[in-house]
């Protein structure tokens, strides 16, 4: 079957089309709530030219941030049940992926993990420059940018 | 909130076969009255990060039957908590929660129903439609010493499909199993069925 | 002073995209609006500045081709239209965020169906898109979607179908009855993006078998 292969990190049991369909069901509603069209959190320089081995560190940091900070705050406010359903599908599948990612903690991987951390900090810094509600709404609206990047590692 | 005079539904259980998940419970009976039930779910994420959040089921909120098809609600391979309560006018019961969380990877996968036929020299197979999550792995071979087994993954659902152009006089045999990507599992193989050109289907 | 209601000037501003040809379209809410003119701007999501689409300034038609301007198929874009009436009323409306990789639809493939005596050959021609690679050559759908595959079905006397499929472009349905009509359909699938083209359909008749005449 198909699986994610983030360098050495393999993740089975997640069907990417299910995530896309969950996001597409609410894409226009969610993105319309983000009226700061001049700011993008997941900028190109964060996701471009990420090596396979670095991808495991980066995706883990991003998914944990989405689970701990973005989804956690966003769902409490999402009254629309369609958003809640899509949200639950994305959050639980992100949870499956994050819990299966075990990047190496060896010393010789320090420079690679550091590179991933710098990329993640660019994202986190941009997130913190907005008020928390706008930032959560914008980050949730950018799940398609994240899924598009994850697609490259889906085989 | 109405005073909880109504008893909470009991004996919750999930019956899951071929990725169709049905939550069932014992009905709450009030003579002469129609009871409505409300079903809610939360995945592992909600239960760990925001346990106060429950989501109304797509098809079971409300329902009059003591069961609810939760297939469309279970969209990740994680444990799901499920709960039900009864309602009669302004009266509502307490919530009753499924004792053990349900994970779709526990679904029972049965060998698929297949129909093997022939049309002239064409070997044709028809498979039941189990939904978009299913693929079928079809194995077929010529029943003769040293014959090689061919395998084909078929996605067409409910439509007869040509498998092979047969040679006369040689029996061709077929068996099939289902594959479910979302949980990384497959069913047992079906019974083997054989057919021969100008011959009848040969039950094993 | 009450805000003047101008929403009737302009409605349904959106992208319509197929095979990565991205056309911005809109409607005027008025029954007839002969004096209305429209101007189009666009930008990449995350950029501050709106860019003017030169050939779509003060136009009267209700569409504008933004294929080149939205040519990076992984990038999210916005476009907006300003409608101005002769009387000076105006309104500006913006599209939803648009990423062609997600939202483009796939047209039916171009196929040549070649009947023979006991078989039918089907040759699928590559589908080029307006998108150009770094070296300037036009990308095909196969270049853009690594998981793209073709699915061919031959309907045999209304009872069953023959199926062929894969990434190659040359297929042949064999073991057919001579001098018989068949209905062939060919579709493009891109599973990871849940994309599926409409079918290309060809109705062909196998040639008569003249070996014994």
């Amino acid at each position: 079957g198909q699986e994610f292969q983030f360098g050495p990190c393999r993740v089975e049991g997640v069907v990417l089309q299910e995530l896309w369909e969950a996001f597409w069901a609410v894409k226009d509603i969610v993105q319309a709530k983000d009226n700061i069209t001049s700011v993008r959190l997941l900028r190109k320089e964060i996701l471009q030219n990420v090596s396979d081995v670095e991808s495991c560190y980066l995706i883990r940091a991003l998914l944990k941030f989405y689970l701990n900070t973005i989804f956690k705050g966003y769902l409490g406010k999402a009254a629309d049940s369609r958003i809640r359903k899509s949200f639950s599908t994305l959050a639980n599948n992100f949870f499956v992926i994050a819990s299966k990612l075990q990047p190496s903690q060896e010393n010789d991987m320090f420079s690679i993990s550091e590179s991933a951390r710098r990329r993640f900090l660019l994202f986190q810094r941009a997130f913190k420059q907005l008020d928390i509600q706008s930032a959560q709404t914008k980050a949730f609206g950018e799940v398609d940018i994240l899924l598009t990047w994850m697609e490259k590692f889906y085989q | 909130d109405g005073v909880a005079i109504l008893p909470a539904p009991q004996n919750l259980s999930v019956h899951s076969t071929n990725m169709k998940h049905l939550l069932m419970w014992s009905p709450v009976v009030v003579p002469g009255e129609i009871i409505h039930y409300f079903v809610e779910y939360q995945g592992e994420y909600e239960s760990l990060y925001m346990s106060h959040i429950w989501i109304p089921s797509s098809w079971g909120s409300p329902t009059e039957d003591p069961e609810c098809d939760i297939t469309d609600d279970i969209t990740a391979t994680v444990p799901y908590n499920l709960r039900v309560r009864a309602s009669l006018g302004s009266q509502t019961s307490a919530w009753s929660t499924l004792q053990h969380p349900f994970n779709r990877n526990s679904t029972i996968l049965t060998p698929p129903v297949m129909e093997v036929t022939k049309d002239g020299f064409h070997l044709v197979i028809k498979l039941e439609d189990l939904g978009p999550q299913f693929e079928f792995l079809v194995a077929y071979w010529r029943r003769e010493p040293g014959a090689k087994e061919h395998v084909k993954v078929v996605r067409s659902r409910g439509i007869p499909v040509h498998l092979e152009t047969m040679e006369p006089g040689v029996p061709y045999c077929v068996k099939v199993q289902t594959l479910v990507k979302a949980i990384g599992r497959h069913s047992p193989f079906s019974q083997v069925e054989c057919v021969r050109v100008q011959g009848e289907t040969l039950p094993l | 002073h009450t805000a003047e209601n101008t929403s009737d000037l302009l409605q349904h501003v959106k992208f319509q995209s197929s095979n990565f040809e991205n056309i911005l379209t809109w409607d005027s809410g008025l029954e007839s609006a002969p004096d209305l003119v429209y101007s189009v701007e666009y930008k990449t999501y995350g950029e501050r500045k709106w860019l003017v689409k030169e050939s779509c300034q003060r136009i009267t038609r209700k569409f504008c081709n933004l294929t080149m301007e939205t040519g990076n198929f992984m990038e999210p874009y916005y476009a907006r239209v300003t409608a101005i009436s002769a009387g000076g009323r105006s309104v500006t409306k913006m599209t939803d965020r648009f990423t062609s990789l997600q939202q483009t639809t796939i047209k039916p493939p171009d196929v040549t169906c070649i009947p023979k005596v006991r078989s039918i050959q089907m040759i699928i021609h590559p589908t080029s898109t307006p998108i150009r690679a770094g070296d300037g050559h036009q990308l095909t759908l196969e270049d853009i979607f690594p998981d793209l595959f073709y699915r061919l079905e031959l309907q045999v006397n209304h009872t069953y179908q023959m199926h062929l499929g894969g990434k190659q472009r040359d297929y042949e349905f064999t073991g057919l009855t001579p001098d018989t009509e068949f209905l062939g359909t060919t579709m493009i699938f891109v599973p990871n993006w849940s994309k599926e083209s409409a079918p290309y359909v060809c109705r062909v008749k196998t040639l008569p078998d003249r070996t014994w005449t």
Side-chain angles (χ1 to χ4, degrees):
Chain A
Q2 284 163 302
E3 62 184 23
F4 283 107
Q5 191 94 49
F6 296 104
C9 304
R10 264 179 73 226
V11 177
E12 287 179 327
V14 174
V15 180
L16 189 53
Q17 292 98 315
E18 276 185 351
L19 305 194
W20 272 118
E21 272 142 29
F23 182 76
W24 283 333
V26 294
K27 173 184 187 301
D28 290 343
I29 300 171
V30 166
Q31 290 179 345
K33 293 176 192 278
D34 173 13
N35 40 38
I36 313 170
T37 61
S38 56
V39 171
R40 169 174 164 172
L41 303 178
L42 285 168
R43 299 196 304 271
K44 274 196 263 190
E45 60 265 37
I46 293 171
L47 296 176
Q48 250 174 351
N49 307 322
V50 177
S51 69
D52 271 1
V53 68
E54 186 182 350
S55 65
C56 188
Y57 296 96
L58 182 56
I59 187 63
R60 188 161 180 263
L62 287 170
L63 291 186
K64 286 180 74 173
F65 189 81
Y66 264 86
L67 291 169
N68 293 322
T69 307
I70 296 162
F71 286 168
K72 196 170 180 184
Y74 192 85
L75 180 64
K77 297 183 269 292
D80 179 327
S81 77
R82 209 168 23 150
I83 291 182
R84 283 185 163 207
K85 285 187 180 306
S86 290
F87 173 89
S88 181
T89 300
L90 289 164
N92 281 286
N93 278 286
F94 277 13
F95 184 76
V96 169
I97 298 169
S99 56
K100 293 185 176 181
L101 295 170
Q102 309 287 343
S104 154
Q105 302 305 324
E106 303 290 333
N107 289 336
D108 58 0
M109 300 299 278
F110 178 76
S111 65
I112 290 173
S113 64
E114 258 314 288
S115 167
R117 204 171 75 85
R118 280 194 301 274
R119 290 175 187 272
F120 170 71
L121 290 178
L122 286 176
F123 167 75
Q124 192 180 43
R125 215 168 288 135
F127 183 88
K128 288 183 172 172
Q129 279 164 10
L130 302 174
D131 70 84
I132 185 71
Q133 173 125 7
S134 303
Q136 284 169 342
T137 298
K138 180 173 280 299
F140 191 39
E142 292 188 5
V143 160
D144 55 355
I145 296 175
L146 184 58
L147 290 178
T148 300
W149 180 71
M150 290 167 70
E151 175 95 41
K152 297 179 192 167
F153 304 92
Y154 192 64
Q155 297 149 17
Chain B
D1 229 356
V3 173
I5 300 171
L6 277 178
Q10 298 302 313
N11 307 318
L12 272 64
S13 62
V14 174
H15 300 257
S16 176
T17 304
N18 290 333
M19 295 296 270
K20 291 274 184 270
H21 323 305
L22 196 63
L23 174 66
M24 305 177 81
W25 57 87
S26 306
V28 171
V29 179
V30 175
E33 298 288 357
I34 295 178
I35 302 293
H36 287 92
Y37 302 98
F38 291 83
V39 176
E40 294 185 343
Y41 68 92
Q42 60 175 202
E44 187 172 21
Y45 175 77
E46 288 90 352
S47 61
L48 288 177
Y49 284 73
M50 37 185 42
S51 54
H52 62 290
I53 296 281
W54 290 82
I55 300 168
S57 168
S58 305
W59 303 107
S61 261
T63 176
E64 292 179 17
D65 304 320
E67 61 180 51
C68 171
D69 183 341
I70 55 171
T71 303
D72 291 344
D73 304 324
I74 309 294
T75 52
T77 308
V78 293
Y80 277 79
N81 289 323
L82 293 147
R83 70 180 186 181
V84 187
R85 74 175 171 186
S87 166
L88 172 56
S90 65
Q91 301 172 50
T92 56
S93 76
W95 288 104
S96 215
T97 303
L98 186 67
Q99 196 176 357
H100 302 295
F102 168 71
N103 190 322
R104 66 180 181 181
N105 62 13
S106 64
T107 192
I108 296 167
L109 292 179
T110 60
V113 172
M114 75 171 174
E115 192 184 315
V116 177
T117 58
K118 58 184 166 65
D119 178 0
F121 293 98
H122 287 184
L123 174 61
V124 177
I125 185 171
K126 183 178 178 187
L127 297 158
E128 61 181 315
D129 181 354
L130 292 172
Q133 307 233 13
F134 284 77
E135 290 175 337
F136 298 90
L137 187 135
V138 181
Y140 56 97
W141 62 94
R142 293 157 59 106
R143 199 170 72 190
E144 58 186 9
K148 179 169 172 280
E149 185 176 275
H150 302 277
V151 171
K152 199 178 251 190
V153 174
V154 173
R155 287 187 190 84
S156 81
R157 305 194 312 255
I159 300 167
V161 171
H162 166 276
L163 268 186
E164 177 76 284
T165 300
M166 299 183 281
E167 284 175 29
V170 179
Y172 285 72
C173 297
V174 184
K175 63 180 180 181
V176 63
Q177 69 177 167
T178 58
L179 308 171
V180 183
K181 282 191 291 189
I183 57 175
R185 283 179 50 210
H186 56 75
S187 73
F189 268 108
S190 65
Q191 291 271 329
V192 174
E193 275 197 40
C194 299
V195 68
R196 172 183 12 207
V197 172
Q198 288 106 30
E200 291 313 311
T201 301
L202 304 176
L204 264 186
Chain C
H1 169 65
T2 57
E4 191 181 13
N5 179 6
T6 54
S7 65
D8 58 343
L9 293 182
L10 190 55
Q11 292 175 352
H12 313 138
V13 178
K14 61 177 187 270
F15 278 98
Q16 311 227 25
S17 174
S18 75
N19 285 12
F20 295 100
E21 190 164 5
N22 310 325
I23 311 296
L24 180 67
T25 65
W26 57 90
D27 296 322
S28 155
L30 307 175
E31 284 303 312
S32 83
D35 62 345
L36 268 184
V37 291
Y38 307 97
S39 295
V40 171
E41 294 169 302
Y42 63 93
K43 74 171 183 175
T44 304
Y45 167 59
E47 298 295 330
R48 193 170 298 277
K49 196 167 180 301
W50 286 91
L51 305 175
V52 170
K53 167 69 176 177
E54 294 302 343
S55 60
C56 297
Q57 295 303 300
R58 304 188 67 79
I59 56 175
T60 54
R61 63 177 189 272
K62 297 189 183 65
F63 61 87
C64 173
N65 191 324
L66 289 176
T67 297
M68 286 309 122
E69 290 76 12
T70 55
N72 183 336
F73 54 80
M74 297 178 96
E75 279 297 285
Y77 293 93
Y78 284 99
R80 67 183 182 186
V81 180
T82 300
I84 308 161
S85 74
R89 290 198 304 154
S90 83
V91 66
T92 298
K93 286 190 177 169
M94 190 172 74
T95 64
D96 286 325
R97 198 178 301 172
F98 169 75
T99 309
S100 56
L101 187 62
Q102 291 177 51
Q103 285 151 278
T104 201
T105 59
I106 306 290
K107 292 180 184 171
D110 177 21
V111 182
T112 302
C113 301
I114 306 168
K116 300 176 181 176
V117 178
R118 291 184 182 284
S119 69
I120 293 172
Q121 186 181 9
M122 294 171 81
I123 300 172
I124 303 169
H125 306 287
T127 306
S128 64
T129 72
I131 294 174
R132 294 189 178 275
D135 61 6
H137 85 276
Q138 269 183 290
L139 297 181
T140 65
L141 289 177
E142 289 169 358
D143 297 325
I144 295 169
F145 297 115
D147 64 322
L148 182 149
F149 67 94
Y150 301 100
R151 190 154 161 196
L152 299 88
E153 293 165 0
L154 195 72
Q155 187 68 41
V156 184
N157 56 39
H158 303 302
T159 52
Y160 64 92
Q161 295 174 349
M162 297 176 80
H163 280 201
L164 292 173
K167 289 180 175 296
Q168 73 271 24
R169 285 203 235 99
D170 196 336
Y171 298 87
E172 188 156 5
F173 289 103
T174 58
L176 304 180
T177 310
D179 200 19
T180 306
E181 190 170 84
F182 295 91
L183 189 71
T185 62
T186 308
M187 296 167 75
I188 296 174
F189 282 82
V190 185
N192 280 355
W193 292 96
S194 304
K195 292 185 191 293
E196 174 181 327
S197 76
Y200 173 91
V201 179
C202 63
R203 191 176 292 276
V204 280
K205 193 170 189 178
T206 47
L207 306 179
D209 185 356
R210 302 197 190 287
T211 47
W212 306 109
T213 49

